[in-house]
Structure formats: structure tokens, C-alpha cells
Amino acid sequence: MIATWGERLSLPRADVKGELQSELKGHLGLISGLLLIVTVILGSGILVIPGLVFEKLGEDGIYAWLACSLLSAPILVTMVILGSAYPSTGGVAYYAKLAFGQYLESLVALLFFGATVLGLPSIAIVGATYLQKLTGSSVDIHPLAALFILLAACLALSSSETLSSGVRLVGGSSLFLLVGMLVVLLMLAVRTNGARFSGPTDLPSIAGQIPLIFFSFAGWEIASHLSADFRNPRRTFGPAMFLAFILVCCVYITSAALVHVSDIKSNFDAPVFQAAVQVAPTAPGWLVPLLGTSLIAANLFGSVVAVSRLVLYLAGQGFLPAGLGYLRNGTPRNSVLFVAACLITVVVADQIRLLNIETMFCLAGMNFLAIYVISAAALARLRRGSVSWLLAGLVVIPSAPIMLSAKSSLLYIASTAFIAYFSNRNNRTRLS
């Protein structure tokens, strides 16, 4: 029997957690789970970053994407092992708690929430720019970005019975459009210019672009919060993650190859659009804006679903108000609305110039990197063995110099750690 709202608030906190975890029943299969993970990973970066990398590296650009794909593989394997062994809506925060206790759980939860609250609005703003080009509207991009977020929230509010169908529709259509356009444009570019690939010539410059590209591969930690949404996470979550990784890498490398073969000379911040202009000048001008709009809408949808699961988990743990853990027809509606409100608040902050997109991307990227390091350490502690230690080393060693080079981000992470300490101490006091 499901408890009423009043009964829910009177339950002990541990009982609320157990009730929430049992009510959020898994409903994703392999295909729907794969599509949802892909929509979480593929965002605005694919429409911008390949051009920026090509502008700086030229023909070496594609090798930077290959290198980043290889460096991301240990992170993926780490998330797959943890997500399959310990499925939970808490995701990376839950893994940190199992390995190191409640303080690290608080820290990872705040880092993750901060990264998504800062990163997702910037993606919505990019999507609003494409929507503005698609419709020819003169409306300011910030209300359009808020509209994107509200649309994603409405889709995320679907009941568990319809969410899987929504994932297939939104994720499948955007992915089909993206892959189809990239393949067609690449074929036209090869027919026009030929395929000319030589070996890498400047390895230090290639390595220098990896931090920029890395943001495109962020999102595996977001996907970890979806493991409890799978019908059989121990059997299907891992294969869905691996297949998503292969698909994402193929899409990124195809986009880099398109820019490489097209040899664009301008509009490096809109490389797919410029490549289409050069190799398919008769293509309709609305095609690329339609691609950007649909891709970012799908990305926001998947991300809002995943982040709402973290909010649900934190409400059950007592770090957020218990009301945010309320489920209706198996859907965490209050947590979805809370996430949407936070994202729209950051959009407003950008509009009044309290924040800017560059700062938002930078802080979000460093938060993700810190989460990867803690998750790798959690894997080494929870799953002792040479493989776990090897994976942890492959994640921590490349990440350390990147984090140490960003002093402003280190200050932000240190401030988050300070807040997490007092939040954890206050929570222990309430529970005692």
C-alpha cells in the first residue's frame, strides 16, 4: 500500500528512502536505455568544438578526438562497473558514500549538482540560439532557453510507462537526424575533396586541445544516476553504456573527419553549418539549425531526467527537503520541477550578467573532473584488485595536472568542500 502525503512526511528518514527506492521501478530496456544515455552525452559540443579544434590544429585535429576517446574509456569502464554492481538513483554520490562515508557523499552530490546546474543552462542558451536561427525570431535567447528547459521538464514528468516511449521518440529522432546528416555530408565532402589523412605532426599541440574536447565526453557520471531506471541493471546497464560509448565516439570522430575533409576556412564556431555550405551549397538553410535544436532538446531531456534522480536520492538521505522525494505514479515530479527551477534561475543570472557561458562551462567541466577522480578512488576501494587500481590510475593521473592548472576552479571546488563539510555535520546532528 502506498503511503499518503501526510504519512510519507511522518515516516523515519530511512523508511522514506526505502520507499522511494522501491517505488522508482526500472522500466528501461537495452535500446531505450542506450538512447537515453546517448542523449545525455551528445550535446552542443559536437556542433561547436570540432571547428575550434580544427582551427588550432588543422589536420591533426582528428587525432586529438581519437586521443580523447581513448582517455575517456577508463572513465566509462569505471562507471559501468560501479553502476552495474551498485545500481542507485544516487549514482556517483552513492558510490562515494559506500567507499568513504557520508562526507564524500555530500561533496560529490554538491559537485555534481553544481556542475549540472551550471552546465545545462549554457547548453539551453546554445539551443536557444539555434532555435532563433531556425524560426527567424528576434526574441531574446534567454526566454527561449527557459522554454527549452520547461519542455525538457514536461517530457521528464512522463509516467514510467510512457517515459521509455518518449526516450525512443526524442532520442531516436535526434540521433537519426544527426547521424544521417553527418554521414551524407562526409560522403559529399569526400567526393568533392577526396580523403587525405596523414600521421600526427605535433603531439604537444594535440595534447593541449584534450581539455577542450573533454567536455564533449562528460556525462557518464550523469548516466550513472539512471542505473536504477533499468529493468535489470546488472545485465543491461553495462551493455547500454558500452554501446553508447562506441556510438558517441563514432559520431564525434565522424564530425571531426567531416571538418577535416571539408577543410573549412571560416565559421569555426559553427563547423557543421560551414561544411554544409561548402559541400552542399544547395541544402536548405534551416537544416543545420533544426539539427542543433533537436539535439540540444534531447540532451536537456535526458539530463533533467538523470539529475532529478539525484535530487530524489538526496531527499531520501535528508540533504534536501523530504517533499522533493514525493513520487506520483512512479514519477519524481517535485524533483523534476526543482531541477527546472534551478536551471531557469541560472539562465536569469546569465541574462543579468552575473554569469557567462565561458565561466559556466569551465566550472562545470572541473566539477565533472573532480567527480571522476573521486569515483575512480571509490572503485579502487570497493572493488579491490589490479584491474580496479589500473583503472583508477588511468583516470587520476591524467586528471591531476588538468585540475591543478585551473586555479579558479580549485577555489570553487574548495568552497564546495567547505559547504559539504557543514552540510554533512548538520545532517548528522538532525539524524541523531
Side-chain angles (χ1 to χ4, degrees):
M1 179 178 180
I2 299 176
T4 64
W5 174 241
E7 291 170 340
R8 187 186 308 275
L9 293 180
S10 66
L11 288 171
R13 219 172 282 279
D15 292 336
V16 171
K17 177 190 173 186
E19 183 186 11
L20 294 179
Q21 295 286 352
S22 63
E23 281 193 48
L24 190 60
K25 296 178 180 179
H27 50 271
L28 295 177
L30 179 62
I31 300 301
S32 56
L34 163 67
L35 290 173
L36 184 55
I37 292 170
V38 170
T39 61
V40 168
I41 306 300
L42 288 177
S44 59
I46 192 174
L47 303 174
V48 178
I49 297 177
L52 300 180
V53 174
F54 181 77
E55 182 182 18
K56 296 178 181 179
L57 296 182
E59 294 185 355
D60 280 348
I62 193 168
Y63 296 106
W65 285 93
L66 287 168
C68 205
S69 298
L70 294 174
L71 290 174
S72 300
I75 296 173
L76 167 81
V77 176
T78 298
M79 294 301 168
V80 167
I81 294 174
L82 291 172
S84 299
Y86 313 104
S88 169
T89 54
V92 287
Y94 180 65
Y95 312 149
K97 176 186 178 181
L98 290 179
F100 304 111
Q102 286 192 343
Y103 170 67
L104 264 295
E105 177 190 36
S106 304
L107 174 58
V108 170
L110 288 177
L111 287 173
F112 178 83
F113 193 72
T116 53
V117 166
L118 289 170
L120 294 181
S122 60
I123 293 173
I125 291 170
V126 174
T129 303
Y130 277 99
L131 182 60
Q132 196 177 54
K133 293 179 180 179
L134 178 64
T135 60
S137 172
S138 59
V139 177
D140 183 73
I141 60 173
H142 294 90
L144 293 178
L147 182 63
F148 260 107
I149 293 169
L150 289 175
L151 175 62
C154 288
L155 292 172
L157 286 172
S158 303
S159 64
S160 58
E161 292 79 10
T162 59
L163 182 60
S164 180
S165 300
V167 168
R168 290 174 183 269
L169 176 62
V170 177
S173 59
S174 63
L175 182 62
F176 177 80
L177 178 61
L178 173 63
V179 172
M181 180 180 294
L182 289 178
V183 170
V184 170
L185 290 177
L186 181 58
M187 292 174 62
L188 292 174
V190 170
R191 189 175 68 178
T192 302
N193 301 328
R196 304 178 305 276
F197 292 94
S198 57
T201 59
D202 190 349
L203 294 179
S205 296
I206 291 173
Q209 293 304 306
I210 289 177
L212 173 63
I213 297 173
F214 182 78
F215 182 81
S216 298
F217 286 89
W220 305 112
E221 72 296 326
I222 299 178
S224 71
H225 293 271
L226 299 170
S227 59
D229 283 85
F230 282 74
R231 283 192 292 267
N232 190 344
R234 295 183 185 277
R235 295 187 60 183
T236 57
F237 178 71
M241 287 280 277
F242 278 116
L243 290 173
F245 179 75
I246 294 171
L247 183 57
V248 165
C249 289
C250 289
V251 169
Y252 282 148
I253 293 172
T254 300
S255 65
L258 170 63
V259 174
H260 175 101
V261 175
S262 301
D263 193 22
I264 63 175
K265 305 298 183 183
S266 60
N267 287 334
F268 294 103
D269 57 347
V272 177
F273 176 79
Q274 183 59 31
V277 168
Q278 292 184 193
V279 304
T282 59
W286 49 263
L287 195 57
V288 174
L290 175 62
L291 169 65
T293 301
S294 62
L295 182 64
I296 290 174
N299 179 252
L300 285 173
F301 162 55
S303 298
V304 168
V305 170
V307 178
S308 68
R309 272 47 180 175
L310 173 65
V311 173
L312 175 68
Y313 174 80
L314 294 178
Q317 293 293 313
F319 292 108
L320 290 175
L324 294 177
Y326 174 63
L327 293 176
R328 183 177 179 182
N329 296 327
T331 302
R333 298 201 170 188
N334 289 356
S335 64
V336 170
L337 295 175
F338 175 73
V339 171
C342 291
L343 300 184
I344 291 175
T345 300
V346 175
V347 170
V348 173
D350 179 81
Q351 184 175 25
I352 62 178
R353 301 182 184 278
L354 289 178
L355 290 171
N356 60 69
I357 287 183
E358 183 178 353
T359 301
M360 290 154 67
F361 270 126
C362 180
L363 293 177
M366 288 300 102
N367 274 22
F368 284 136
L369 207 55
I371 290 169
Y372 291 146
V373 169
I374 296 173
S375 298
L379 174 66
R381 186 178 180 88
L382 292 172
R383 313 283 289 187
R384 299 180 185 275
S386 56
V387 174
S388 297
W389 281 100
L390 175 62
L391 286 171
L394 291 174
V395 173
V396 173
I397 293 173
S399 301
I402 298 174
M403 294 178 63
L404 292 174
S405 65
K407 295 182 179 179
S408 60
S409 297
L410 283 177
L411 179 61
Y412 175 80
I413 292 173
S415 301
T416 304
F418 185 75
I419 295 172
Y421 171 77
F422 282 98
S423 173
N424 181 64
R425 189 174 69 173
N426 292 337
N427 188 54
R428 286 203 310 265
T429 300
R430 287 197 304 271
L431 293 177
S432 61

